[in-house]
Amino acid sequence: MAERNLCRILCVSDSFGLPRPGVSYRTTWIALLKERFPDKDFIGLFRRLGNTDMLSTTSYGEYLHWYDPDAVVIQLGICDCSPRYVPTNSKIYKILGALPKMLSTPVWKMVKLRGRRPGCRDVPPERYRRNLSAYVTECRKRGVKKVILVKIGIPTAKMVASNPMILGSIAEYNAIIDDIAAIEKGYVAVCDPLSEGAPAVYTEDGYHPNPKGHSLIAQEIAKAVECSRDRWQSI
């Protein structure tokens, strides 16, 4: 087998890691990590509205077998845990999205009258745990040397005002990350770069990171990468 020239680090995220207005690609956390570690190949698999259900698609092939990574970074959870009016993976949500705006708007007004509910989350906490645990197990089976889980960031007061139950939900799902890391001690590392809900690190929506937020995320992931550098030198 040919010797590997670069350590491959697979990065799985949702829109949190993607460029957007006010955030160019070169300021995203994955771009910053590529610049900081030119000896490592950071592979980005980011999907808008992505959640942990996507970790098991195509029997893990898309995320593990095809790329054969040495390490994995996972930044998923806000789309899993956010209390919604209607789950985005439900039939009614898809039907409303396909309707003309003049028809969908009055229906949405009626739906929103009942408010957001913990039962209306795209991925319930039990499935979130199963998704992450199964993926970590699969990583071990396939020879991945390290898994880095990035905790769900605490949003600003602006987002909390529009979704009052979000903080409790984030705490519940972040506790699951801690549980998995405790079970997989030494194999799973945890990063918590956006734990304060400071407006200075977010875009105007109060949740997606701005360049300063991306810099914090990159710094925390870099620490986990640095801690594993000696182990990866033999790869």
Side-chain angles (χ1 to χ4, degrees), residues 25-70:
Y25 171 72
R26 65 182 178 80
T27 65
T28 60
W29 60 260
I30 191 170
L32 295 173
L33 288 169
K34 287 181 179 182
E35 183 177 352
R36 179 163 180 170
F37 298 104
D39 62 326
K40 291 177 172 51
D41 182 13
F42 288 88
I43 304 164
L45 286 174
F46 300 167
R47 293 184 184 177
R48 299 191 188 281
L49 290 179
N51 61 49
T52 55
D53 282 343
M54 74 188 197
L55 293 177
S56 62
T57 56
T58 62
S59 299
Y60 301 99
E62 182 176 358
Y63 298 97
L64 291 175
H65 179 67
W66 295 340
Y67 291 99
D68 189 23
D70 300 303

